[in-house]
Amino acid sequence: HSSPTRRSSDLRSHRSAIGKARLKEAIEKTRAVLGVPADYRIAVVPASDTGAIEMAMWTMLGERPVDACHWESFGKTWFGDITNQLKLEGVTEFHAPYGELPDLAATNPDHDIVFTFNGTTSGVRVPDLDWIQDDRTGLTFNDATSAVFAMDVDWAKVDVTTYSWQKVMGGEGAHGMLILSPRAVARLESWAPEGRPIPKVFQLAKKGKLDEALFTGATINTPSMICVEDYLDALDWAESIGGLEGLKRRSEANLAAVATWVDETPWAH
């Protein structure tokens, strides 16, 4: 049995060497399972996927016009925050009703683009990211909370990717993940929203430089180390069933089972 002092200071504390090591392991295993490029940064952040996407929008949007794409409730919320909370000008709305997608190819590569990869509430997913141009000058903000671990993410096409542990991986709630491309890091270090208050839990940069500690196992606020262990266990399970390819096969098989039932059931559609 550990002494109470050791249990509280070492095993429970996210600031201890053990705690930091486990958080760093969560980041490294995430990179391995998802195939995230080595030059992309990964951080554990507060407030689930909502916190991750909001902190990205609050710190990076406003440098150029924004194309906000939505076809379900979460994407509509991000659009509302962009227009009603951040009150940005030059916002173009790309909207489709539940069950459909807007014309994503009509988005402007010189604008920042915010979209939801897979509609948690509508069940509509983006088939691919070919509509995102490689020579874009804007950033792409990819809310992938219901897509990552179940679908292919072409990392070259996305600059900000967010998700939460409780969606595809079925983990515990309250923690978000933020993945930044080098282009997103460059935005954080070259531009700051003038006159916009940035709450502590959203602060990704210090004195004009990325806070690198956040991407090596430090966190902005206190995470649950029990939830971290649960996430690590889920990542181990993912590796045991074949990694990302195994997870995608499992997801597609689940979809096929439901689709077959719908096809064979006259009243379901």
Side-chain angles (χ1 to χ4, degrees):
H1 294 281
S2 300
S3 69
T5 301
R6 177 171 174 77
R7 182 164 60 249
S8 62
S9 65
D10 291 348
L11 304 183
R12 291 280 187 176
S13 173
H14 64 297
R15 302 297 186 198
S16 70
I18 294 173
K20 287 182 179 178
R22 297 300 277 173
L23 285 159
K24 186 176 182 181
E25 183 178 352
I27 289 171
E28 291 172 346
K29 282 192 177 231
T30 296
R31 188 183 303 280
V33 173
L34 293 178
V36 178
D39 59 351
Y40 279 49
R41 308 313 209 283
I42 304 174
V44 179
V45 299
S48 193
D49 176 62
T50 298
I53 191 72
E54 295 276 12
M55 70 194 305
M57 294 195 300
W58 249 253
T59 55
M60 285 181 261
L61 287 184
E63 192 258 0
R64 61 182 60 220
V66 179
D67 290 351
C69 311
H70 67 90
W71 46 90
E72 49 90 53
S73 65
F74 286 101
K76 186 176 182 180
T77 296
W78 314 150
F79 170 71
D81 286 342
I82 291 166
T83 54
N84 299 326
Q85 302 300 321
L86 294 175
K87 300 184 184 301
L88 297 183
E89 298 179 356
V91 178
T92 303
E93 180 183 12
F94 290 81
H95 165 62
Y98 275 47
E100 299 178 24
L101 283 173
D103 181 10
L104 296 172
T107 55
N108 191 325
D110 295 326
H111 294 182
D112 290 335
I113 301 171
V114 180
F115 70 98
T116 305
F117 201 127
N118 184 62
T120 301
T121 57
S122 74
V124 176
R125 64 176 172 180
V126 176
D128 56 55
L129 299 180
D130 293 346
W131 52 277
I132 297 174
Q133 296 188 22
D134 293 332
D135 61 352
R136 65 190 179 279
T137 58
L139 299 180
T140 52
F141 292 70
N142 168 31
D143 173 2
T145 200
S146 294
V148 73
F149 291 110
M151 303 170 192
D152 276 317
V153 177
D154 184 348
W155 294 105
K157 300 285 189 178
V158 291
D159 297 301
V160 176
T161 297
T162 66
Y163 70 91
S164 53
W165 298 342
Q166 77 269 22
K167 286 293 193 298
V168 172
M169 295 296 277
E172 288 295 337
H175 302 79
M177 298 296 286
L178 177 68
I179 304 176
L180 302 180
S181 75
R183 299 179 72 252
V185 173
R187 170 73 63 84
L188 283 166
E189 295 187 335
S190 66
W191 178 85
E194 184 177 354
R196 182 187 303 166
I198 305 295
K200 175 180 172 58
V201 292
F202 283 6
Q203 293 171 12
L204 293 169
K206 290 182 178 179
K207 297 180 179 179
K209 290 293 183 182
L210 186 73
D211 186 355
E212 293 286 1
L214 299 177
F215 302 89
T216 58
T219 54
I220 293 176
N221 71 334
T222 306
S224 163
M225 297 310 295
I226 292 179
C227 289
V228 171
E229 291 302 311
D230 182 78
Y231 180 54
L232 286 167
D233 186 66
L235 290 170
D236 287 340
W237 168 79
E239 290 179 331
S240 76
I241 65 164
L244 182 59
E245 292 305 314
L247 291 167
K248 284 161 45 185
R249 286 193 297 271
R250 191 181 184 93
S251 173
E252 292 291 344
N254 287 340
L255 173 60
V258 174
T260 298
W261 174 78
V262 170
D263 290 341
E264 296 174 350
T265 309
W267 54 266
H269 62 82

